[in-house]
Amino acid sequence: MWPYPRTLAHRGGGTLAPENTLAALRCGLAYGYRAVEFDVMLASDGVPVVVHDPELGRTVAGSGHINEYTAAQLGVMEAGAWFGPAFVGEGVPAFDAVVAYCKAQRIWMNIEIKPAPGFDVATGEAVARATRGHFAQEIAAGELLPLLSSFSIAALEAARQAAPELARGWLVEAIPDDWARTARELGVVAIHCDHQQLTCALALAVKQGGLGLFCYTVNTPERASELLAWGVDGFCTDRIDLIGAAE
């Protein structure tokens, strides 16, 4: 149930580059990572952009909300200076640009649909349709495709309606008691959870239930080894300098 890479660079470059930027993707690639996780939400013009926070201020200089600005406006905002002077000039990348880079470099993608409050359905639909458009040839050829994931059940349902060909993962913090029923109703292929709230017994139950199991965000080789021994299929990490891409 998990035909995907096992070790993913979190938000592109982990802690070594400004998250969710093209620089982060280049950093992850430099460390041998050809599998990444990143976040996508909608700009005010409905264009998907790669960014984590719905508000500006933490990683993107400015004030207000992401969905108050167009994708073009976000593209020239400062999204790298907060991390260090070497990254000054990095903007918020459009989803299309990130996909183009990943395809050119043969980087597999776990695309987290990260809707701003109230935009779950619109974001799920837009991201799924855009992804389907980028991978039309791969869909026709039966090749390995990106995996869509989200904490938002509404976004996952919208993505399924918009692009049923694309597999989806259900993101949670702690796996709830009704995980099997909900996963079945959502038609997801995997559950993604906080590794700190996972037990060996629960990992075994999920795997016996026929689902893939993915963890975030694993930052020590010792914990990575333990989780893999439990049967976890994959994980993302911020410490791409400590955990090899083939771990």
Side-chain angles (χ1 to χ4, degrees), residues 88-161:
V88 170
E90 285 291 325
V92 176
F95 176 58
D96 287 351
V98 168
V99 173
Y101 180 86
C102 288
K103 289 192 72 174
Q105 301 296 332
R106 297 177 17 224
I107 299 171
W108 181 80
M109 291 164 276
N110 175 4
I111 301 165
E112 181 178 343
I113 303 169
K114 194 99 178 167
F119 289 84
D120 298 63
V121 172
T123 309
E125 288 177 350
V127 174
R129 285 176 180 158
T131 305
R132 183 179 61 183
H134 282 292
F135 286 87
Q137 291 184 347
E138 289 83 356
I139 290 171
E143 297 178 14
L144 187 67
L145 301 171
L147 179 67
L148 305 180
S149 63
S150 188
F151 284 97
S152 168
I153 287 177
L156 288 174
E157 291 175 335
R160 172 166 57 176
Q161 292 297 318

Side-chain angles (χ1 to χ4, degrees), residues 37-117:
E37 180 272 353
F38 56 80
D39 310 282
V40 185
M41 63 180 62
L42 297 184
S44 65
D45 50 0
V47 175
V49 294
V50 176
V51 65
H52 180 272
D53 296 2
E55 305 89 7
L56 280 74
R58 183 178 69 88
T59 64
V60 183
S63 62
H65 295 81
I66 291 293
N67 59 7
E68 295 172 347
Y69 298 90
T70 67
Q73 289 172 322
L74 292 165
V76 296
M77 288 183 177
E78 182 56 64
W82 68 275
F83 193 89
F87 299 101
V88 170
E90 285 291 325
V92 176
F95 176 58
D96 287 351
V98 168
V99 173
Y101 180 86
C102 288
K103 289 192 72 174
Q105 301 296 332
R106 297 177 17 224
I107 299 171
W108 181 80
M109 291 164 276
N110 175 4
I111 301 165
E112 181 178 343
I113 303 169
K114 194 99 178 167

